[in-house]
């Protein structure tokens, strides 16, 4: 068993007094990719924001290497955990300046300018994410796929042990989807980073994850968790998404893959 990096223990989350999810329990081990799945509006983003510390839990605990995250000073937390949320915005900033913001937790008191080490770190992760050539461009003028890669570079300059990503492949073409997920796999394999990622593409999740956590909107908790073989079953998917699906196996990896089949919608001719 690998070392547990993140542990969610009876976590309840929500906004003000409105509970969104109850009694969430799962772990992420060292260099493990955990994908959070579930229908729209089931609370995946809220869960990620709560783990990131942007929203206080309503109950239960979030432990990072056995320490309650609420007891870890923010500056220390940002050196262990980095977050890439959807629709990251940054106006009037070059790509380099945007990525440099990720080094702020490492600045010493009264340090106003970056050091050579910070600049080297920025170059290192721009190179790793294949975006070094974009360094001097304005962040808000690069494409969606490039912006996603640069946002991951900004998270990586924090040198985190845990990376949280909210739907990093949504709105991207398949080439960019593959580039992002291959990169995440490289981070796990070569940098030993643990990843908790919200994905809505079940087949990508099945292919790239070690563990899947399926959230159910009705019971407002985890419906199933484990390997893709355990979680990606016809019964589980149909129950959580209320949709008929066909299941097959990936021809090379043997992992489960889901297919939809076309259904005719009946129109009552007497209507209208
Ligand atoms: P998902 O990521 O699974 O689509 P979200 O976490 O975005 O789901 O949303 C879960 C629920 O929380 C939804 O009902 C949504 O309307 C509600 N919600 C999202 N953001 C807020 C907010 N800032 N304040 C109150 N409710 C919110």
């Amino acid at each position: 068993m690998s070392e547990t990096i993140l542990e969610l223990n009876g976590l309840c989350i929500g906004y003000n007094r409105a509970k969104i999810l109850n009694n969430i329990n799962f772990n992420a081990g060292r260099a493990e990719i955990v994908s959070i799945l579930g229908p729209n509006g089931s609370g995946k983003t809220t869960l990620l924001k709560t783990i990131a510390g942007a929203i206080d839990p309503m109950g239960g605990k979030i432990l990072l290497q056995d320490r309650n995250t609420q007891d870890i000073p923010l500056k220390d937390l940002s050196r262990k955990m980095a977050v890439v949320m959807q629709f990251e915005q940054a106006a009037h900033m070059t790509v380099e300046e945007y990525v440099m913001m990720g080094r702020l937790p490492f600045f010493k008191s009264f340090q106003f300018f970056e050091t050579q080490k910070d600049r080297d770190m920025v170059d290192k992760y721009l190179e790793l994410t294949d975006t070094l050539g974009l360094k001097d461009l304005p962040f808000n003028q690069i494409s969606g796929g490039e912006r996603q890669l640069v946002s991951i570079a900004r998270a990586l300059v924090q040198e985190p042990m845990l990376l949280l990503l909210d739907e990093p492949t949504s709105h991207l073409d398949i080439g960019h989807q593959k580039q992002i997920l291959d990169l995440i796999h490289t981070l796990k394999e070569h940098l030993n980073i643990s990843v908790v990622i919200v994905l809505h593409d079940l087949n990508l999740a099945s292919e790239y994850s070690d563990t899947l956590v399926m959230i159910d909107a009705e019971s407002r908790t985890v419906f199933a968790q484990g390997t893709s073989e355990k979680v990606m079953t016809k019964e589980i998917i149909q129950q959580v998404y209320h949709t008929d699906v066909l299941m097959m196996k990936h021809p090379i990896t043997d992992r489960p893959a889901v297919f939809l089949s076309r259904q005719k919608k009946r129109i009552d001719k007497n209507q209208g």
Side-chain angles (χ1 to χ4, degrees):
M1 270 292 281
S2 70
E3 176 199 0
T4 300
I5 297 296
L6 176 74
E7 182 181 342
L8 305 191
N9 214 323
L11 190 68
C12 297
I13 60 169
Y15 298 94
N16 300 319
R17 256 176 248 126
K19 258 193 198 168
I20 304 285
L21 291 172
N22 274 304
N23 196 24
I24 304 289
N25 298 287
F26 68 81
N27 292 352
R30 164 116 26 216
E32 187 181 355
I33 299 180
V34 178
S35 290
I36 313 220
L37 308 168
N40 291 340
S42 58
K44 303 178 297 297
T45 298
T46 308
L47 176 59
L48 211 67
K49 282 184 181 164
T50 311
I51 299 172
I55 302 173
D56 285 337
M58 295 174 91
K61 282 185 194 151
I62 304 166
L63 304 171
L64 193 64
Q65 286 187 308
D66 297 326
R67 249 183 107 188
N68 194 325
T69 51
Q70 291 194 299
D71 299 335
I72 305 177
L74 204 58
K75 203 168 170 174
D76 293 348
L77 198 59
S78 9
R79 294 163 74 151
K80 292 176 184 291
M81 176 161 81
V83 190
V84 180
M85 295 308 286
Q86 264 187 289
F87 313 119
E88 301 255 356
Q89 304 255 339
H92 313 301
M93 219 181 251
T94 65
V95 163
E96 182 181 22
E97 287 163 345
Y98 180 76
V99 175
M100 187 62 77
M101 286 198 316
R103 291 297 297 167
L104 286 177
F106 293 85
F107 279 29
K108 300 196 173 65
S109 307
F110 302 108
Q111 181 191 335
F112 301 108
F113 298 101
E114 67 270 11
T115 63
Q116 189 57 44
K117 184 176 178 211
D118 297 318
R119 281 190 292 274
D120 291 345
M121 203 69 88
V122 168
D123 282 358
K124 174 177 164 185
Y125 289 109
L126 283 174
E127 190 155 15
L128 185 75
T129 52
D130 273 336
T131 52
L132 191 57
L134 307 174
K135 192 171 161 173
D136 299 321
L137 295 179
F139 180 82
N140 53 14
Q141 285 177 25
I142 60 177
S143 75
E146 290 166 344
R147 210 177 281 196
Q148 201 56 256
L149 287 164
V150 166
S151 298
I152 295 174
R154 188 186 69 163
L156 291 175
V157 299
Q158 289 173 236
E159 306 227 285
M161 63 175 72
L162 175 67
L163 184 62
L164 307 177
L165 299 132
D166 191 13
E167 296 200 5
T169 56
S170 55
H171 314 297
L172 300 184
D173 61 54
I174 53 169
H176 281 100
Q177 289 183 13
K178 180 167 158 41
Q179 188 180 9
I180 300 257
L181 289 165
D182 282 344
L183 168 66
I184 288 164
H185 196 256
T186 304
L187 302 178
K188 160 205 156 85
E189 292 274 295
H190 298 287
L191 301 180
N192 270 334
I193 294 179
S194 310
V195 179
V196 176
I197 180 168
V198 172
L199 281 176
H200 63 194
D201 187 313
L202 297 173
N203 291 335
L204 289 179
S206 175
E207 212 39 53
Y208 282 92
S209 319
D210 299 300
T211 301
L212 305 182
V213 175
M214 180 71 83
I215 305 283
D216 177 38
E218 265 154 42
S219 55
R220 294 173 178 260
T221 191
V222 174
F223 191 90
Q225 61 177 298
T227 59
S228 49
E229 284 75 17
K230 184 175 169 201
V231 176
M232 288 267 296
T233 67
K234 188 177 169 78
E235 293 70 30
I236 291 176
I237 294 173
Q238 290 192 166
Q239 247 180 291
V240 172
Y241 290 91
H242 304 289
T243 306
D244 281 339
V245 293
L246 290 172
M247 300 304 298
M248 299 206 39
K249 283 189 173 183
H250 187 287
I252 295 170
T253 62
D254 245 13
R255 294 208 179 195
V258 60
F259 292 89
L260 301 175
S261 50
R262 198 168 47 192
Q263 265 179 330
K264 279 199 178 132
K265 189 173 169 65
R266 285 204 194 88
I267 298 177
D268 183 352
K269 288 191 179 134
N270 299 321
Q271 243 180 11

